[in-house]
Amino acid sequence: MNASVIDTVVFPVAGLGTRFLPATKASPKEMLPVVDKPLIQYAVEEAIAAGARNLVFVTGRTKRAIEDHFDMAYELETELAARGKQELLDLVRGVLPEGINCVYVRQREALGLGHAVLCARSLVGDKPFGVILADDLIDGGEKPVMRQLAERFSATGRSVISVERVPRERTDRYGVVDIGDDAGPLAPIRAIVEKPDPADAPSNLAVVGRYLLTPRIFELLETTAPDQRGEVQITDAIAALLDDQGADAWEFTGKHYDCGSKLGYLEATVEYALKHPELGDSFAEYLKGRTPAPEEQ
Ligand code: UTP
């Protein structure tokens, strides 16, 4: 299967990250590390594994940390080389493999995810492209989710969005799709609504941070009205796409961690630490032998 149907992936990293303040005062939440890599690096690795060579970051007021992370760290590299720390040098240089192009565009105001994606329009051009929300960390195992989407797209040529089942009482936190009686895992979307009340939700299939979209979405975003909070929602533009080119929902294989929330972030940290090649065993030992603090007893 040709995974290089997407050459470009967009990373919207311009949200305010209010749920993580003050940690996100001077750097975006996408720079929060899970064990030893920032969230954005997991996302970039996923994009590259799906065949992307062009990475477009839509940044906000805290753009420097991301740019610096993917830039050459000249002083650090010189210092590591002088000290003969080859392994660390490889680690630092390996943050961005050869041949990968990073570009940055500014979203001047956090006017919503749809608006952030629209900011990338001139850098994406007239081609299908991926969108990864780095705060939705997904452990896809052998096949990262963006690659799963690329495979679906190369078979259908239609926009495809990753979804997962969530407890019904939580539908008001997500975009939710209606696939009718279709059994999935790939199904045409009949309707999509942003953050519906559990009582009104058409299903419990929630959209999670991975999209593969045709460039038609940009034209639809141009005419998408902001919601009551003044934000342009990608969900509304996708709703318009349904009557136009259509789009599919893909119930992905993998474990999702909502790292935009503190609890999801902590869960990811524990699971990735347990799987870490150097740390896993000793962290598991620590958890097993952990003495509860007096207030927990
Ligand atoms: P969230 O809905 O999690 O919002 O954004 P947020 O502002 O980042 O975080 P909280 O809720 O205040 O804690 C989902 C994704 O969309 C990006 C965010 O960076 C995140 O990856 N985003 C959101 C933008 O790039 N621009 C926006 O205007 C809104």
Side-chain angles (χ1 to χ4, degrees):
M1 186 65 65
N2 175 16
S4 62
V5 286
I6 39 162
D7 162 66
T8 303
V9 169
V10 174
F11 304 90
V13 291
L16 297 177
T18 53
R19 285 170 289 171
F20 270 98
L21 281 169
T24 47
K25 186 177 168 209
S27 80
K29 70 176 160 188
E30 290 80 3
M31 280 303 292
L32 290 171
V34 169
V35 187
D36 49 11
K37 280 194 280 190
L39 285 167
I40 191 67
Q41 195 177 328
Y42 290 97
V44 159
E45 287 171 6
E46 183 177 332
I48 293 171
R53 293 289 168 268
N54 244 337
L55 312 180
V56 178
F57 299 86
V58 182
T59 61
R61 69 202 153 79
T62 53
K63 70 177 206 149
R64 268 202 46 197
I66 302 242
E67 276 191 353
D68 286 351
H69 184 72
F70 292 107
D71 202 357
M72 191 186 161
Y74 185 75
E75 284 164 13
L76 177 64
E77 289 180 27
T78 312
E79 193 62 38
L80 291 174
R83 294 186 191 182
K85 306 259 186 204
Q86 192 55 42
E87 232 172 86
L88 290 177
L89 193 56
D90 293 344
L91 205 67
V92 169
R93 286 187 176 151
V95 164
L96 195 70
E98 297 262 321
I100 304 296
N101 182 34
C102 291
V103 277
Y104 301 87
V105 60
R106 189 74 177 250
Q107 185 189 25
R108 297 175 69 155
E109 259 186 284
L111 294 177
L113 176 58
H115 179 262
V117 170
L118 188 54
C119 290
R121 183 176 190 172
S122 63
L123 296 167
V124 172
D126 196 24
K127 298 173 299 208
F129 65 102
V131 176
I132 297 185
L133 305 187
D135 55 344
D136 277 322
L137 180 62
I138 308 179
D139 181 356
E142 298 281 292
K143 199 174 278 183
V145 177
M146 188 45 72
R147 186 140 159 242
Q148 297 177 28
L149 293 185
E151 290 186 356
R152 304 286 89 70
F153 183 85
S154 69
T156 64
R158 273 155 60 101
S159 294
V160 54
I161 296 152
S162 68
V163 297
E164 74 171 349
R165 299 220 172 252
V166 297
R168 211 163 232 281
E169 61 274 16
R170 291 202 208 142
T171 56
D172 57 359
R173 302 182 194 179
Y174 301 90
V176 173
V177 300
D178 179 4
I179 58 165
D181 297 330
D182 223 307
L186 184 72
I189 303 173
R190 293 186 184 187
I192 181 167
V193 272
E194 182 67 11
K195 302 191 172 74
D197 275 342
D200 306 327
S203 76
N204 67 339
L205 273 179
V207 178
V208 260
R210 304 288 182 280
Y211 309 76
L212 205 167
L213 300 165
T214 61
R216 174 78 177 128
I217 200 75
F218 291 127
E219 286 158 27
L220 298 169
L221 278 167
E222 292 277 11
T223 54
T224 300
D227 64 9
Q228 288 153 335
R229 296 193 306 165
E231 294 189 354
V232 175
Q233 298 298 345
I234 189 90
T235 306
D236 293 334
I238 292 169
L241 189 65
L242 299 183
D243 297 330
D244 193 272
Q245 298 178 334
D248 297 320
W250 169 248
E251 216 177 319
F252 62 86
T253 310
K255 173 86 181 104
H256 167 223
Y257 301 93
D258 174 10
C259 291
S261 81
K262 285 178 197 161
L263 187 60
Y265 175 71
L266 289 174
E267 286 168 6
T269 302
V270 170
E271 296 305 327
Y272 277 66
L274 286 170
K275 280 178 41 169
H276 193 280
E278 287 151 31
L279 213 61
D281 290 347
S282 40
F283 187 57
E285 289 264 305
Y286 163 73
L287 288 180
K288 234 190 294 161
R290 181 176 169 271
T291 318
E295 61 274 17
E296 291 175 56
Q297 289 169 343

